[in-house]
Amino acid sequence: MHTPHRTDQHHHPQGRSAAIRNPYEELGALAEAPEAGLPGGSAGEGAAARRPGRERERPPRTDRRGGRRRRRFAALPLAAKAVVGLVLLVAFVALADRWAVLFAERKAADTLKSRLDLTAAPEVEIGGFPFLTQLADKKLDSVKVTVPDVAADRVSLAKVSATAHDIRLNADGLTSVRGADVSRLDGDVLLSFDDLSRELGASQVTFSGDGGDRVEARGTLPVAGHDLRLHAEATIRRQAERGIATDIGGMRLDIGDVATYRPGSRPSDGLHLTPGASADLARETRKAKALLSVPAIVQRLGVPEATVREGLGDDGALTKLTGSPRFAREAQSLDLIDLAEDNPEVLSDLGLDPGLLDALSGLTRPVLADRLSLAFELPEPEHGDVRLRDVRVGEDGIRVRLTGSGLAVGDS
């Protein structure tokens, strides 16, 4: 049997042994070489990385973002740095200016509240920018003042809003403003219907606008323990230069469905039966006989005595008499207050309280008009001139335009 010849590098010639290397020698060389995949590494580092439980040492961390920002800002040109600085300076100056405005507005509000004896501090808004340069020049472009709840005679003005223009200050600084001269003033005054209803109507009468120059009053008015329905109209007009006047008309007090009272001295004024009550009178024999039994009433009705006697004795004749249109018109024209003086029992038969009629006698037209009056007048300033213009009736109340000139506040 032929035994193959065993090839071994020790038995080969020298050239052939160089071509074929021992694999164990290659493994040893690999262990001494740098770690694969880590360029620049050493054999010690590779071995250390492969040892369990031991971490490779890392270089210390640095704030790369902060360093990057510093490098970027340092890379900006000088002109850009100047622009950034200028923007920051302007922002700081603007903030300081706004703070000074707020301080001045609050101080002005407190001063006006004290000097005008107001129940609440007004709202003050100083216009123009910058404020500090205006203060240095002692001249303000504009100042808007809004004063709520200003007492004006019997009523309260819901809001007085005015803007002063071209104000010259008497001041030595922000904290030492002693007074001011106002060249021109404009604004408006609001007389709220809600306030009128509360102050004049005692929550029982409400006021509303009709879209023109009139104000309507509707509600109830207590008279001698009776709540009478009230209807009235007030025409608004300007009085002189600082006042508002109201002409009260169409005043009427309804006593249920029985009678209507209109204060005044005209024939249509006084206490009269309603058309419905006159119609009931024709159907109620007892009430008709109560009226026709008084000679003074018969004389005022203009009914012949013979007809009256026939009606009192025959219900059919009485129904025919009281059912005529002429009798109904005459019955409505009777002033029941005049009849109450001499014939209070007749009014009781008609369902009217004699005590109520006594109270209505004292409720004259001027008295009732004064209770519903919306008039007011602005106080006269010590210096300068203030006038009211353009009276308008809106949905929420009466609005009046305000103008003024040559005004002085404090020590000018």
Side-chain angles (χ1 to χ4, degrees), residues 93-116:
V93 172
L95 181 62
D97 188 85
R98 292 300 91 189
W99 178 88
V101 167
L102 294 176
F103 179 83
E105 290 174 347
R106 184 172 67 252
K107 186 174 180 62
D110 294 338
T111 302
L112 289 175
K113 180 178 181 295
S114 176
R115 289 181 178 272
L116 301 179

Side-chain angles (χ1 to χ4, degrees), residues 5-14 16-17:
H5 177 73
R6 181 177 178 181
T7 304
D8 190 273
Q9 61 179 358
H10 299 290
H11 298 91
H12 283 286
Q14 185 178 359
R16 189 170 181 85
S17 63

